[in-house]
Amino acid sequence: MFAEQLIAKEMSRNASSRSKPTAAFVVIENLAPHFGALMGAAGFRALLSRALVLAGAEVAWLAELHVKADGSFEGLNELEAKAKPEEISNAGIVLLARLLGLLVSLIGDELTLQLLSNINDLQLAPEG
């Protein structure tokens, strides 16, 4: 799964992410400037907001989060105090997967993989 590969890369790159259940949210926030450059900050925010709605259908408490103009999350710190680390980690994976799914729907597998690989120095393999 692309989301898990991106999270693993973040965790290997950033020691402080290893112990945090919010690694997926960090990945998303790190993607914001890159995709914002391609689609505009408002475009990325709209895409991320839609992904948040879709993920919220699977993880109800994600509805408490809001996407700020810069692509970061409002309310994440409060959720960290309420939810278990495993729940936060799983919710982050769901959200990242929904975001990547929307990107694939819009621009296709190949272009999404190419963009993510360029941004993250990853060799992502298509899911089969």
Side-chain angles (χ1 to χ4, degrees):
M1 167 178 254
F2 300 143
E4 290 169 338
Q5 290 179 49
L6 290 170
I7 294 165
K9 181 69 171 181
E10 169 61 26
M11 291 173 83
S12 71
R13 195 181 320 180
N14 187 347
S16 66
S17 291
R18 278 187 217 126
S19 61
K20 289 198 164 208
T22 56
F25 296 94
V26 171
V27 169
I28 294 168
E29 290 178 356
N30 289 342
L31 291 176
H34 299 284
F35 282 103
L38 294 171
M39 62 180 70
F44 181 77
R45 183 173 181 261
L47 191 68
L48 183 53
S49 294
R50 179 65 183 144
L52 191 56
V53 169
L54 293 172
E58 295 177 58
V59 183
W61 55 262
L62 280 175
E64 296 179 37
L65 291 181
H66 300 282
V67 181
K68 295 184 200 177
D70 65 356
S72 63
F73 296 99
E74 182 179 325
L76 188 56
N77 291 337
E78 292 80 5
L79 285 177
E80 282 187 275
K82 292 182 199 176
K84 295 177 185 172
E86 185 176 302
E87 293 173 330
I88 295 170
S89 179
N90 290 338
I93 292 169
V94 170
L95 177 57
L96 182 56
R98 294 305 152 256
L99 177 62
L100 296 176
L102 288 171
L103 280 169
V104 167
S105 294
L106 291 171
I107 62 175
D109 284 338
E110 277 189 44
L111 188 53
T112 300
L113 283 174
Q114 183 180 357
L115 291 171
L116 291 172
S117 294
N118 290 343
I119 292 169
N120 293 289
D121 283 338
L122 287 177
Q123 295 300 318
L124 296 172
E127 296 176 337

